[in-house]
Amino acid sequence: SEEAMNAVKFAADNGKFTAAICAGPTVLADLGITTGKRATCYPGCEGGMGNAIMVQEAAVRDDKLITGTSAGCAIPFGLALIEALRGKEAANAVAEQIVIR
């Protein structure tokens, strides 16, 4: 919706975290949020990523932008979100509790 797109753009423009996984990063690209930033998306959606610097990783953080490759990468994506919001120690604690090695 236009209202949701405006809210995401407002957040990015005002230094807030923006995050998307799977094909969702293409929406961020449509808004210009990924321009010149390292990002990832679902394989095959790269053409919709505009001028992002594409990276082949499960989850990618570039400053306030966090992107994930697919639902199969939800755990690394979630840990990247935790690290961004609560720090590396918190992300490591969660990874240990869910037995990610």
Side-chain angles (χ1 to χ4, degrees):
S1 75
E2 184 178 344
E3 189 173 285
M5 297 287 271
N6 289 340
V8 171
K9 182 73 171 142
F10 179 85
D13 288 347
N14 287 279
K16 307 298 182 190
F17 282 102
T18 52
I21 190 170
C22 205
T26 62
V27 173
L28 302 182
D30 288 345
L31 296 171
I33 295 169
T34 62
T35 299
K37 302 248 184 192
R38 295 174 62 246
T40 192
C41 65
Y42 188 79
C45 290
E46 296 87 354
M49 290 299 292
N51 292 320
I53 301 164
M54 297 307 297
V55 179
Q56 299 292 320
E57 294 177 22
V60 178
R61 178 177 174 190
D62 189 327
D63 193 29
K64 299 281 186 164
L65 173 67
I66 303 168
T67 53
T69 301
S70 66
C73 299
I75 291 175
F77 179 71
L79 293 172
L81 296 174
I82 293 168
E83 183 176 340
L85 298 173
R86 303 289 296 189
K88 184 87 171 151
E89 188 174 304
N92 287 342
V94 170
E96 187 174 308
Q97 290 169 359
I98 62 174
V99 193
I100 294 297
R101 298 188 173 111

